Amino acid sequence: MGKVTGFLEIDRQVAKYQPASDRIRHFREFAIPMSDQEVQKQAARCMDCGIPYCHGPTGCPVHNQIPDWNDLVYSGNWELAIRNLHSTNNFPEFTGRVCPAPCEEACTLNLEDAPVAIKTVEQAIADKAYEMGYIVPQPATVKTGKKTAVIGSGPAGMAAAQQLARAGHEVHVFERESKAGGLLRYGIPDFKMEKNFIDRRVDQMRGEGVTFHCGVNVGVDKKMDELLSEFDAVLYCGGSETPRDAGIPGVGFAGVHDAMPYLVQQNRRVGRENVDSVGWPSDPILAGGKHVVVVGGGDTASDCVGTAFRQGAVKVTQLDIRPQPPEKEDKLAVWPFWATKMRTSSSQAEGAVREFQVGTLEFVGDEDGVLTGVKCCQVDDRRKPIAGTEFIIKADLVFIAIGFRGPFTDSVLDDLGERLTINTDKRGSSNVVANDRDYKTSVDKLWTAGDVRRGQSLVVWAIREGRQAARAIDEALMGSTTLPR
């Protein structure tokens, strides 16, 4: 906790943003950092609440010891604060930027709509630690002689690789793309998280003995049998990247795209990489001067909105089939769990037109096969179209952002064939089967973690799974483990 009476004396404050008119002119982060003193005041608001729901199980998936490092920040002990934070979270500079902060929803002060600014403090700790030189390689003092491989360098793969290296194992990370980071690098726009933070962590991990093999598509460039015979353990963290099929007539019109290829392309442009990418369409997708419609109401849809504005879209409309949520939740009914309430992302606040309880009937095009509009209608509580409510929205460009149904099937899954057990649910999602205790798959020497196992989820859940899978692998290889769960 921080100051005993801090929550009574200090108002909640979080970092301010650049005005929308300024921030849409660039792809850099636009939050204005708070001073150390302001951050310490916010940490001081952490109260002696008795049961800190913020750090689990309803709050933080990695069980960050939030009251502890809030108290350390309040006391000015930034070095011990980052050590405490790193004990549960390998990459707080990632989660401090892109996590939706379920911890703040679970904060006791959220009963009064004024939770501790946990996410702001977390990011400040990580950024201060880099500034002060506290984050350095921590190579293992004793090597085990065991060789481990990690497929995929997203947050799950990176977290697992770092933990395995610190346990003394030789670690090799295989990444399909030209740089490490997975969807952290290629899916999340730079205006939410600049990629130099990933580069710094990769440098740290290299200093700890992790070897990165980028541009290697496992299952195609390097076969799984070769990998399994070469290494004592292989961890598959391939992510969930196959878009869910919208089933909307007219998806073949020029101008209709899945969301992820669009985001990947723009991230590659910002990173000064070629837009061609393994597994994604390479024709340029640009929103400048166009009327854009985004189908979907989640984070990926919001990222498309912000990217389109920065590319110079004339108008962006976001369609959400769900009813418009209430402005405020019933605290006594839902706290400390994540509440359904009206939320406006920074991208939506840049000028998006949001349509709720609207279904997409079809995409409309001209005789040349080019998109001209989106035919929509209002839907009832069961998401069924309401007759007579049809309307058409002008559109030159559409992005479908309704989720993902599993990993790409043309590499690892195809290479392993029927040996790897896959679970398919009623929505058509396909995930690799493994429990969340030992993370072991149906293939000998193969473990799995992250979105490829649990389905699309948050960065913080991927970090948790990567850490836990690393512990399971270390225990399997050595008979015991000192890695935290």
Side-chain angles (χ1 to χ4, degrees):
M1 57 170 286
K3 185 178 181 182
V4 175
T5 57
F7 72 100
L8 295 172
E9 303 167 10
I10 304 167
D11 291 334
R12 170 182 162 91
Q13 298 289 336
V14 295
K16 300 295 189 296
Y17 292 160
Q18 293 176 4
S21 58
D22 293 338
R23 66 181 189 247
I24 62 171
R25 300 177 186 275
H26 60 79
F27 280 88
R28 301 183 303 277
E29 290 183 13
F30 51 79
I32 302 170
M34 297 170 66
S35 69
D36 291 352
Q37 292 74 23
E38 291 172 323
V39 173
Q40 287 178 283
K41 287 175 65 177
Q42 291 307 305
R45 297 186 66 246
C46 189
M47 59 187 290
D48 186 8
C49 59
I51 300 176
Y53 288 95
C54 57
H55 64 77
T58 57
C60 181
V62 293
H63 301 300
N64 281 337
Q65 299 170 106
I66 294 163
D68 297 59
W69 44 254
N70 270 325
D71 184 55
L72 291 166
V73 169
Y74 169 57
S75 303
N77 195 335
W78 296 91
E79 183 174 11
L80 197 53
I82 189 62
R83 287 173 57 187
N84 186 296
L85 186 46
H86 272 155
S87 71
T88 56
N89 183 355
N90 295 68
F91 313 120
E93 68 274 28
F94 301 167
T95 52
R97 284 172 166 81
V98 302
C99 185
C103 52
E104 294 189 15
E105 289 287 306
C107 177
T108 301
L109 291 178
N110 191 38
L111 287 167
E112 298 293 332
D113 291 315
V116 175
I118 300 169
K119 181 178 175 179
T120 298
V121 176
E122 179 179 16
Q123 178 184 333
I125 293 172
D127 291 348
K128 183 71 172 179
Y130 273 113
E131 177 189 331
M132 299 299 292
Y134 297 148
I135 299 178
V136 295
Q138 300 176 37
T141 55
V142 177
K143 300 295 184 181
T144 65
K146 301 291 186 180
K147 292 182 63 177
T148 60
V150 178
I151 304 170
S153 64
M158 286 183 66
Q162 185 164 64
Q163 294 295 94
L164 288 168
R166 290 176 176 178
H169 305 304
E170 181 180 335
V171 183
H172 293 259
V173 178
F174 295 87
E175 169 57 47
R176 182 190 68 225
E177 297 285 357
S178 55
K179 293 182 180 180
L183 290 182
L184 270 175
R185 182 182 296 275
Y186 295 104
I188 296 175
D190 280 63
F191 57 80
K192 290 177 70 173
M193 187 182 79
E194 294 180 14
K195 303 311 184 288
N196 61 296
F197 300 109
I198 300 173
D199 296 334
R200 292 196 301 197
R201 281 297 180 181
V202 169
D203 289 343
Q204 181 199 30
M205 291 169 65
R206 286 195 174 112
E208 295 171 350
V210 177
T211 302
F212 288 86
H213 305 270
C214 294
V216 179
N217 191 6
V218 174
V220 178
D221 303 324
K222 189 177 184 68
K223 294 297 184 180
M224 282 299 298
D225 283 343
E226 179 184 352
L227 210 63
L228 290 166
S229 64
E230 183 179 344
F231 292 90
D232 298 298
V234 177
L235 176 62
Y236 179 28
C237 299
S240 181
E241 301 169 282
T242 303
R244 195 177 299 283
D245 185 8
I248 301 172
V251 292
F253 285 120
V256 180
H257 304 274
D258 287 313
M260 196 51 65
Y262 175 57
L263 296 176
V264 170
Q265 270 195 19
Q266 184 56 40
N267 284 333
R268 294 178 76 88
R269 285 191 195 94
V270 174
R272 301 183 183 279
E273 297 184 60
N274 193 308
V275 297
D276 293 341
S277 180
V278 178
W280 305 108
S282 58
D283 293 336
I285 309 171
L286 296 166
K290 296 179 180 179
H291 288 75
V292 177
V293 172
V294 181
V295 180
D299 289 339
T300 302
S302 183
D303 292 345
C304 289
V305 169
T307 301
F309 277 130
R310 283 159 179 76
Q311 289 184 346
V314 172
K315 182 180 181 180
V316 181
T317 305
Q318 185 176 358
L319 306 180
D320 195 332
I321 199 169
R322 299 169 298 182
Q324 181 169 336
E327 290 292 331
K328 185 177 179 180
E329 74 275 28
D330 181 349
K331 300 289 186 183
L332 297 182
V334 298
W335 181 87
F337 298 97
W338 184 261
T340 299
K341 62 182 176 181
M342 189 66 176
R343 303 174 192 272
T344 301
S345 71
S346 59
S347 292
Q348 291 164 339
E350 289 163 0
V353 176
R354 302 172 70 182
E355 298 280 357
F356 289 96
Q357 211 159 350
V358 168
T360 306
L361 296 177
E362 65 175 309
F363 301 121
V364 182
D366 60 22
E367 57 187 17
D368 295 324
V370 178
L371 177 76
T372 59
V374 181
K375 185 176 181 181
C376 309
C377 70
Q378 295 177 5
V379 299
D380 60 24
D381 291 340
R382 300 179 64 187
R383 300 187 178 182
K384 301 297 182 183
I386 299 174
T389 64
E390 297 84 0
F391 61 98
I392 293 179
I393 300 174
K394 179 181 179 180
D396 307 303
L397 200 56
V398 163
F399 299 117
I400 303 173
I402 58 173
F404 305 87
R405 58 183 177 85
F408 284 145
T409 58
D410 59 353
S411 51
V412 174
L413 300 189
D414 183 58
D415 192 26
L416 286 173
E418 296 181 356
R419 287 186 290 165
L420 189 62
T421 303
I422 303 296
N423 177 57
T424 302
D425 65 22
K426 62 183 179 181
R427 295 189 66 197
S429 296
S430 300
N431 303 317
V432 177
V433 173
N435 63 49
D436 60 359
R437 295 180 301 279
D438 62 17
Y439 292 87
K440 193 78 171 64
T441 72
S442 55
V443 176
D444 187 40
K445 295 168 62 176
L446 180 64
W447 285 257
T448 188
D451 287 3
V452 71
R453 189 200 73 85
R454 67 177 286 118
Q456 66 172 102
S457 190
L458 304 176
V459 169
V460 69
W461 273 107
I463 293 173
R464 170 187 171 133
E465 294 222 344
R467 287 170 61 89
Q468 292 186 339
R471 175 187 169 89
I473 291 171
D474 185 41
E475 189 171 29
L477 295 180
M478 306 305 295
S480 62
T481 182
T482 58
L483 290 177
R485 180 169 169 79

